[in-house]
Amino acid sequence: MDTLQSAKNDLQKYGFLNLPADPAIDLLQEIKRLKQEKNAVLLAHYYQVPVIQDLADFVGDSLALSQEAAATDADIIVFAGVHFMAETAKMLNPGKKVLIPDLHAGCSLAESAPYHLFKDFKSRYPDHVVVSYVNSSAELKTLTDICCTSTNAVEIINSIPKNKGIIFAPDRNLGAYLMKVTGREMVLWHGVCQVHEMFSWEKITSVMSEHPGAEFIAHPECQPHILEIADYVGSTSGLLKYVKKSPASTFVIATEPGILYQMQKAAPEKILIPAPAMTNCACNECPFMKLNTVEKLYNCMKYELPEVSLEENVIKEGRKCIDRMLEISAQAGL
Ligand code: 13P
Ligand code: SF4
């Protein structure tokens, strides 16, 4: 068996093509060349390592990445992000090849709402509208009426008639935040992001007291007691815009620190401090997002593997809530 064939056979085990790259090759130049040769677009989330963000044709938050995926005329979409993001791109482009450098780049939120458990839960509220955060599996999306991201969630909730009950899944922290902001009662699924659960209130308040005048900004996936002390709460793109426009010079930032790269580029004079986690680990880094590496990206583009595949009926049913989200977002000018 040749090396490529055995690497293909191992895909299930490793989640990526475990082939050593030729040390004589300039991987960055090769990735750029492969993009051109294959008419491939490289989409990267803000939580990717800087070198991958720099290689990407487009870097953005979950909403912008799905809008970009919906609009692309590339033949191949290479998704440097996590699996649910690549699945969303696939649902929007069923005829295109969608690649992800590492199939095991999952998401604790998406995993927290398994299809059958959620189906049972939903059956207890037959009249409710189901709103699911995009950080959910393609199967969960087939049970969803409207998808949302943290950029458009308020507009999505406000688009639902007041007399309608709402189930919100899978993020209980984003759900609780939306209940507060929109004043709507919602039935919440109790999923969490393992990264945003780790921030320490005590350590954040201590860092803030060491930096008078600093602003504390947070992603809505953080726990309620963390959001309560935030000067601003928003999605990754919201946080980035806030840092650019705020007159403050120092920010303590409670989200995955990958976003600090674009923040520092946009505002080089500002001091950016990642919010501390409860332990001294690097657990504010998303272990799934960080599975993607330049080597895996190169192999993925060269051999066009691993590919994201979904059953036809999952694409057909799951796509409806994404289309609805994109429509409402466009109407809201997002
Ligand atoms: P954004 O849509 O804000 O980029 O969030 C994605 C995500 O996974 C946050 O953990
Ligand atoms: Fe999922 Fe959290 Fe990682 Fe975002 S940061 S991809 S929500 S585990």
Side-chain angles (χ1 to χ4, degrees), residues 6-139:
S6 80
K8 280 182 183 172
N9 294 348
D10 278 346
L11 253 187
Q12 285 299 329
K13 187 159 69 181
Y14 299 120
F16 60 94
L17 272 185
N18 195 16
L19 284 168
D22 180 345
I25 287 177
D26 179 339
L27 290 182
L28 305 188
Q29 284 311 320
E30 269 305 291
I31 289 169
K32 288 180 195 161
R33 192 189 61 74
L34 287 165
K35 280 198 297 181
Q36 289 229 310
E37 183 187 291
K38 295 174 186 254
N39 188 27
V41 66
L42 175 58
L43 306 179
H45 187 264
Y46 287 130
Y47 294 165
Q48 292 297 290
V49 288
V51 63
I52 293 185
Q53 293 191 37
D54 282 344
L55 279 168
D57 299 294
F58 184 83
V59 186
D61 71 356
S62 310
L63 176 63
L65 289 168
S66 53
Q67 287 166 330
E68 204 62 26
T72 187
D73 55 9
D75 295 320
I76 298 178
I77 298 172
V78 186
F79 219 112
V82 288
H83 201 260
F84 75 81
M85 296 177 174
E87 281 182 342
T88 304
K90 181 67 183 174
M91 287 190 271
L92 290 164
N93 295 278
K96 286 186 180 165
K97 202 173 251 189
V98 176
L99 306 172
I100 183 164
D102 190 323
L103 274 178
H104 292 171
C107 167
S108 66
L109 266 172
E111 276 155 34
S112 71
Y115 176 84
H116 289 291
L117 284 182
F118 188 76
K119 197 171 176 216
D120 286 350
F121 176 74
K122 177 182 161 161
S123 68
R124 286 190 251 144
Y125 306 92
D127 299 327
H128 282 46
V129 174
V130 178
V131 178
S132 296
Y133 193 29
V134 71
N135 301 36
S136 54
S137 67
E139 288 73 22

Side-chain angles (χ1 to χ4, degrees), residues 47 82 84 106-109 135 193-196 221 286 288-289:
Y47 294 165
V82 288
F84 75 81
C107 167
S108 66
L109 266 172
N135 301 36
C193 159
Q194 68 183 60
V195 175
H196 289 85
E221 286 173 22
C286 175
F288 307 107
M289 288 277 181

